[in-house]
Amino acid sequence: MSIEKFSVEKVLSVHRWAHNLFSFTLTRPAHFKFSAGQFARIGLMVNGELVVRAYSVVSSPFDETLEFFSIVVPDGAFTSNLQHLKVGDELYLDKVSYGYLTLARYQLPVPQDLWLLATGTGLAPFLSMLQDFETWKKYQHINLVYSVRTASELAYVERIQEITALFGEGHTGFKFVPIITRDPNATLHDRLPILIANRELEKTIGLSLNPASSHVMLCGNPQMVEDTKEALKQRGLTMNRRGEGNIAVENYW
Ligand SMILES: Cc1cc2nc3c(=O)[nH]c(=O)nc-3n(C[C@H](O)[C@H](O)[C@H](O)COP(=O)(O)OP(=O)(O)OC[C@H]3O[C@@H](n4cnc5c(N)ncnc54)[C@H](O)[C@@H]3O)c2cc1C
């Protein structure tokens, strides 16, 4: 891997949400452009070798710094080292951003209802989209659905409230729906594909999934993405290709 493809950026802050979840911000070089929903490639020197992983950007494209939301995989080559990150440390940042999980990919149906369905750190690209005024202008309904295993993994809840108050001021069609899969007392605790198949999610939100008006984005755990995609197809929704269709996905592994 050519090191010239990367710039060296400083860690400005680290926030720990749970033993296996944290966020950090980096300096943003002027050349680093991205659209909400895209990902960066971040590198870390481990025993003299550059280890690189994809990370969705949490920040808005207009922010001066870059924020990321990370899992800790105990024996993961990248995150078992990254978890010790401190303010002032340096990371490598690929100069280019990547990815197609952006709202610009949708042409038909025209924007009306946006469903953002995440598991875990798959929340990240949706936070970026919600910090873009364009998103709020385009969509009449925006549903952010965030599935985690335990309540302690429910990161960013206050930030979501702040973001929606600021960027979605005056917008009346936003719903935030947490799902806690290991808490039988949580309002919603089944896996996303089940909640779509039995229509519980739509009942909770008060809006139907509709091939003529829904843009549905899925991000995170590949099994969730695959099973949810199938549940949506059963409801007549189609994969978005060349601008047309309802479903767009990003698998994290
Ligand atoms: C396009 C894209 C965007 C991504 N954005 C993010 C992001 O914003 N935040 C983030 O934490 N990760 C993200 N990832 C995953 C990330 O690239 C790494 O896989 C993760 O940092 C773990 O790296 P690792 O070397 O420690 O473990 P790896 O060897 O990469 O992964 C080992 C195992 O850990 C599990 N795993 C990996 N990533 C996750 C995760 N995010 N949540 C739960 N389990 C996981 C899987 O079982 C995987 O097989 C993204 C991946 C892709 C492809």
Side-chain angles (χ1 to χ4, degrees):
M1 201 166 321
S2 159
I3 199 114
E4 289 79 44
K5 289 183 68 193
F6 294 81
S7 61
V8 176
E9 303 304 329
K10 265 213 153 54
V11 177
L12 299 172
S13 68
V14 179
H15 179 87
R16 299 194 192 274
W17 302 101
H19 73 280
N20 60 342
L21 286 174
F22 66 103
S23 295
F24 58 96
T25 55
L26 294 184
T27 48
R28 176 179 180 178
H31 62 251
F32 189 83
K33 310 272 186 253
F34 68 98
S35 299
Q38 285 195 302
F39 65 90
R41 293 175 72 245
I42 299 179
L44 184 66
M45 277 296 172
V46 181
N47 301 328
E49 263 188 47
L50 189 64
V51 181
V52 179
R53 290 291 183 273
Y55 270 82
S56 302
V57 186
V58 169
S59 320
S60 133
F62 309 102
D63 281 345
E64 286 177 3
T65 58
L66 294 172
E67 180 172 349
F68 301 97
F69 177 29
S70 183
I71 188 80
V72 178
V73 180
D75 48 2
F78 191 79
T79 54
S80 63
N81 293 289
L82 191 76
Q83 65 173 325
H84 304 298
L85 205 64
K86 301 181 303 306
V87 171
D89 285 353
E90 290 180 337
L91 289 175
Y92 292 80
L93 176 74
D94 192 326
K95 291 175 184 165
V96 179
S97 60
Y98 298 87
Y100 301 101
L101 192 76
T102 62
L103 295 174
R105 65 178 291 148
Y106 285 110
Q107 286 157 27
L108 281 177
V110 293
Q112 184 176 319
D113 306 332
L114 180 62
W115 297 74
L116 303 171
L117 313 184
T119 55
T121 52
L123 179 72
F126 302 148
L127 293 175
S128 183
M129 290 175 198
L130 292 174
Q131 295 178 86
D132 189 340
F133 286 111
E134 236 353 77
T135 308
W136 297 91
K137 257 197 262 166
K138 266 190 185 169
Y139 292 93
Q140 207 177 320
H141 299 107
I142 302 175
N143 306 310
L144 176 64
V145 182
Y146 178 22
S147 178
V148 295
R149 291 174 305 180
T150 61
S152 65
E153 293 177 352
L154 213 48
Y156 279 103
V157 173
E158 276 176 28
R159 273 286 290 286
I160 291 167
Q161 284 163 359
E162 287 164 16
I163 288 169
T164 52
L166 181 65
F167 290 85
E169 196 190 352
H171 195 288
T172 53
F174 177 77
K175 292 269 165 65
F176 172 52
V177 182
I179 300 170
I180 307 176
T181 56
R182 291 189 186 166
D183 181 356
N185 297 318
T187 313
L188 292 183
H189 54 259
D190 281 317
R191 292 177 65 241
L192 264 164
I194 295 173
L195 294 170
I196 287 169
N198 66 17
R199 303 193 183 223
E200 268 313 303
L201 182 64
E202 289 156 282
K203 272 188 225 148
T204 304
I205 289 176
L207 184 73
S208 294
L209 286 157
N210 181 346
S213 60
S214 302
H215 291 175
V216 188
M217 292 187 144
L218 311 175
C219 187
N221 181 319
Q223 196 61 59
M224 174 288 278
V225 168
E226 185 54 31
D227 297 347
T228 307
K229 212 163 74 179
E230 288 313 309
L232 292 167
K233 285 183 184 169
Q234 291 292 320
R235 299 290 306 281
L237 279 77
T238 57
M239 292 302 290
N240 183 274
R241 295 198 207 286
R242 300 202 179 122
E244 281 190 40
N246 313 99
I247 311 166
V249 307
E250 187 105 279
N251 284 312
Y252 270 7
W253 65 92

